[in-house]
Amino acid sequence: MFFVLELLKNEPFIWLIVITTALYYILTKNHGFWASRNVKYIRPVPLFGNAFSTALSFAPGCKVQQEQYNYFKGEQYGGIWAFWKPKLLITDPQLIEHIMVKDFTYFTDREGTVDVKTDPLANHLVNKNGNNWKILRTKLTPVFSSGKLKTMIQQIIECSDACVEHIGQKAATGKPFEVREEMAGFTMDVIGSCAFGLNINAINDHNSQIRKLGLMIFAPSRIRKLRRMLGMHFGFLLRLVRWKRMPAKFALFFLNTIMGIVKYREENNFHRNDFIQLMMEVRKEEEKQLKDGTISEIVMNDNTIASNAFVFLLAGYETTATTLSYTLYELATNPEIQDKVHKEVVDVLKKHKGDITWEGLAEMKYVETVITETLRKYPPVISVSRQSVRPYKIPNSDLELPEGSVVVMPIYSIHHDPKYYPEPEKFKPERFAEENKQKLAKSTFLPFGDGPRICIGLRFAKMEMKIAIAKLIMKYQFRINSRTITPLQYSPKTIFLVPLGGIWIDFIPRTYKE
């Protein structure tokens, strides 16, 4: 023993070998995980696993996912690693249905949730797990009821009108412009109005603090993407060094803004049809229940209200803006589809005396198929994961996953599998027409997830997109500008499906004859 200590003391090179060996062991100790369970897998590399090219932004996530999906073709699932962590990539829709719907009680949790102690805006629905998620979901579900959504139509119309006018001013200059920027301004204004009760005017004011926040969070960036991935897989280390995903300056600004709105409304008995108001009403009901002993604590406290206001921004800004942009791209690329959308909108508006109504939006069936096909071809989020809360035996197999296992549903690849969607690269809205819906295999359309944890705001998002498309197509024809890179390519610097170089569209004002 003395000899070993002396050797280490006098030979630094030996220390290097010891440390390197220890690190290698730590970083590769899980590399036998799938082989020991007789699961086909893609060989990982130390530290990165199979995430090297995506973590360092060498390739877009959809490309890497497609390569992995193709490798496991014919299998129900396959083994991959995200950094040091083994995960199971699910390639069979029937198994996806089991995980997300039928056997949901085994997979109630999301992976990589954020510690509320290190992030003051993390106390929201997306970040909740277990019973805490169930309680909050139950309280928030009525907020997204048909009756509540109807009250917000006029606010979305006002934001759409501002967007149409702003586009008109730009189009009049004859210069092309990038449509994602315009749609981002529109969706930010909708969130400001319908979630926060604020007139952000992001469509015109590029110096808006909340718009700057959106850009800070979602703009493609190698560093931000790497930090996000590290935060998901090495959260325990980040907590040790007290690293926060959200800059303290912005978190404080957002919290103060939301709490200022709540305080003003309470003190002045002010009421507005938006999500903050609806959450305040939930809290009032909780306060009554606390007094009569029905519940033991208030769930919808100040921090929960602020956090869930923030998640409206997190979930509804980039995803909706990107989907609208891709929709406009496909309408511009396919004039015959654009004409059908225009005709349907004209007919529905005539029936409703020129007004956009809840009932009229429901009648825009073809517009809905166009949005749905856009979400199929360009899912904003390319995958979704779930974490098991207890051991789970994969149906019709010998594989049992231990508690804490992470399974990944490759949304993009399933949406582009010709087995489920013939000619997947073609834009064909009729796939989702009423007469064809029943032909679709279950759990092959997943842009909003599926099962009890399906996106709570999906109906709001669809309503918002329908209104925007109706307003824009009544005013303009869309044509692809030559600055758009075609066929579309995707940025490797973000976890979202973002087109390289943007989407450039010419907006041509319609004449009264049309």
Side-chain angles (χ1 to χ4, degrees):
M1 184 67 182
F2 177 77
F3 171 75
V4 172
L5 292 175
E6 282 295 310
L7 183 63
L8 291 174
K9 179 179 178 181
N10 298 316
E11 297 291 342
F13 182 68
I14 300 297
W15 273 112
L16 179 62
I17 294 174
V18 170
I19 293 171
T20 302
T21 303
L23 281 174
Y24 182 81
Y25 170 76
I26 292 170
L27 295 174
T28 62
K29 68 176 182 177
N30 284 332
H31 284 191
F33 187 87
W34 294 122
S36 66
R37 288 165 173 80
N38 199 29
V39 173
K40 184 177 180 179
Y41 62 91
I42 299 174
R43 186 177 297 276
V45 298
L47 179 61
F48 289 97
N50 305 122
F52 180 79
S53 57
T54 49
L56 298 183
S57 299
F58 293 142
C62 61
K63 181 177 182 292
V64 174
Q65 181 188 109
Q66 193 63 52
E67 291 170 352
Q68 294 175 348
Y69 186 83
N70 291 339
Y71 183 79
F72 295 123
K73 202 72 172 176
E75 306 283 341
Q76 272 191 297
Y77 46 75
I80 58 173
W81 284 260
F83 293 95
W84 61 275
K85 193 167 189 176
K87 297 184 179 183
L88 196 66
L89 187 74
I90 310 298
T91 58
D92 177 23
Q94 289 185 350
L95 181 52
I96 289 175
E97 186 185 11
H98 272 282
I99 289 168
M100 302 191 79
V101 184
K102 295 179 179 178
D103 298 331
F104 173 75
T105 55
Y106 288 85
F107 293 93
T108 58
D109 287 4
R110 290 171 60 92
E111 177 201 14
T113 53
V114 185
D115 189 346
V116 294
K117 295 177 181 179
T118 60
D119 190 335
L121 294 175
N123 197 27
H124 53 69
L125 190 62
V126 175
N127 196 50
K128 292 284 188 180
N129 280 331
N131 197 50
N132 290 332
W133 166 81
K134 186 176 180 180
I135 292 171
L136 187 57
R137 176 87 182 202
T138 301
K139 290 182 180 296
L140 286 176
T141 295
V143 171
F144 292 89
S145 67
S146 298
K148 299 293 195 300
L149 295 180
K150 284 181 185 179
T151 65
M152 299 180 190
I153 287 179
Q154 188 55 42
Q155 293 159 233
I156 300 175
I157 288 173
E158 290 170 3
C159 294
S160 299
D161 287 338
C163 177
V164 168
E165 182 180 352
H166 187 257
I167 285 175
Q169 293 171 358
K170 281 195 166 186
T173 66
K175 297 179 180 179
F177 54 92
E178 207 280 304
V179 74
R180 285 188 70 254
E181 183 178 341
E182 301 304 315
M183 294 304 101
F186 163 70
T187 56
M188 183 63 77
D189 283 345
V190 170
I191 290 167
S193 180
C194 295
F196 314 145
L198 297 175
N199 180 19
I200 296 175
N201 193 28
I203 195 76
N204 293 301
D205 181 11
H206 288 198
N207 292 317
S208 161
Q209 285 296 314
I210 294 184
R211 175 159 182 161
K212 286 181 178 179
L213 161 69
L215 290 173
M216 179 188 71
I217 296 174
F218 296 110
S221 164
R222 282 191 173 90
I223 297 299
R224 273 193 291 269
K225 181 182 179 183
L226 181 59
R227 289 175 68 178
R228 184 179 284 115
M229 294 181 75
L230 290 174
M232 178 176 289
H233 296 98
F234 296 98
F236 63 96
L237 289 177
L238 299 181
R239 285 192 289 273
L240 287 176
V241 299
R242 297 184 178 275
W243 177 74
K244 297 180 180 180
R245 298 189 185 190
M246 180 62 58
K249 182 179 179 181
F250 170 74
L252 183 62
F253 161 76
F254 193 87
L255 281 167
N256 288 341
T257 299
I258 300 303
M259 288 303 95
I261 294 169
V262 171
K263 183 179 180 181
Y264 175 84
R265 293 185 185 186
E266 289 177 339
E267 291 178 349
N268 295 277
N269 198 27
F270 179 83
H271 185 281
R272 193 176 189 277
N273 292 324
D274 56 33
F275 290 124
I276 290 230
Q277 189 69 44
L278 295 173
M279 287 190 287
M280 290 172 63
E281 290 172 6
V282 171
R283 179 160 71 183
K284 283 184 181 179
E285 184 60 29
E286 282 189 315
E287 289 170 349
K288 292 179 184 177
Q289 294 172 339
L290 188 65
K291 285 183 180 180
D292 62 27
T294 307
I295 61 174
S296 58
E297 63 176 341
I298 298 292
V299 173
M300 200 62 67
N301 54 38
D302 285 352
N303 183 259
T304 303
I305 289 177
S307 294
N308 282 285
F310 173 67
V311 87
F312 293 144
L313 170 64
L314 200 66
Y317 168 64
E318 171 70 16
T319 54
T320 306
T322 300
T323 301
L324 274 171
S325 303
Y326 284 126
T327 303
L328 292 173
Y329 168 81
E330 289 293 349
L331 292 177
T333 305
N334 300 280
E336 71 288 351
I337 296 177
Q338 183 178 164
D339 290 342
K340 285 182 70 174
V341 169
H342 178 248
K343 183 180 185 306
E344 180 179 73
V345 172
V346 168
D347 291 345
V348 170
L349 291 182
K350 279 182 180 178
K351 183 178 176 181
H352 292 271
K353 301 178 181 180
D355 295 328
I356 291 179
T357 64
W358 178 262
E359 295 72 21
L361 291 172
E363 292 168 18
M364 294 181 186
K365 301 292 187 182
Y366 190 68
V367 175
E368 173 118 8
T369 65
V370 168
I371 292 172
T372 305
E373 173 68 347
T374 301
L375 287 164
R376 187 224 31 111
K377 190 176 178 183
Y378 309 101
V381 179
I382 66 168
S383 66
V384 63
S385 63
R386 293 287 183 265
Q387 184 164 290
S388 64
V389 294
R390 59 182 189 270
Y392 178 75
K393 186 178 183 300
I394 299 289
N396 304 315
S397 81
D398 296 326
L399 176 62
E400 183 173 43
L401 298 175
E403 179 182 338
S405 297
V406 175
V407 293
V408 180
M409 277 56 73
I411 297 173
Y412 178 89
S413 297
I414 288 172
H415 283 193
H416 288 79
D417 192 329
K419 180 178 179 181
Y420 312 119
Y421 298 100
E423 300 180 296
E425 296 310 315
K426 285 191 175 181
F427 189 78
K428 300 167 68 174
E430 61 270 19
R431 300 181 203 270
F432 298 97
E434 288 296 329
E435 62 272 19
N436 294 326
K437 279 184 178 180
Q438 300 304 317
K439 300 175 186 176
L440 298 175
K442 290 183 178 180
S443 296
T444 57
F445 182 70
L446 302 164
F448 297 104
D450 202 359
R453 285 202 83 139
I454 195 169
C455 175
I456 195 171
L458 71 89
R459 290 201 301 164
F460 177 82
K462 286 186 176 181
M463 177 177 73
E464 177 185 359
M465 289 189 281
K466 277 188 177 181
I467 292 173
I469 290 167
K471 283 286 185 176
L472 286 167
I473 208 161
M474 287 298 293
K475 188 76 173 179
Y476 306 106
Q477 288 182 314
F478 317 129
R479 296 289 182 268
I480 289 292
N481 186 275
S482 59
R483 290 189 62 174
T484 301
I485 299 172
T486 54
L488 293 178
Q489 301 173 33
Y490 304 110
S491 172
K493 299 178 184 178
T494 174
I495 62 172
F496 297 102
L497 199 68
V498 174
L500 273 176
I503 295 175
W504 298 77
I505 291 179
D506 295 324
F507 289 80
I508 303 164
R510 293 183 180 272
T511 67
Y512 69 93
K513 292 180 182 179
E514 294 173 321

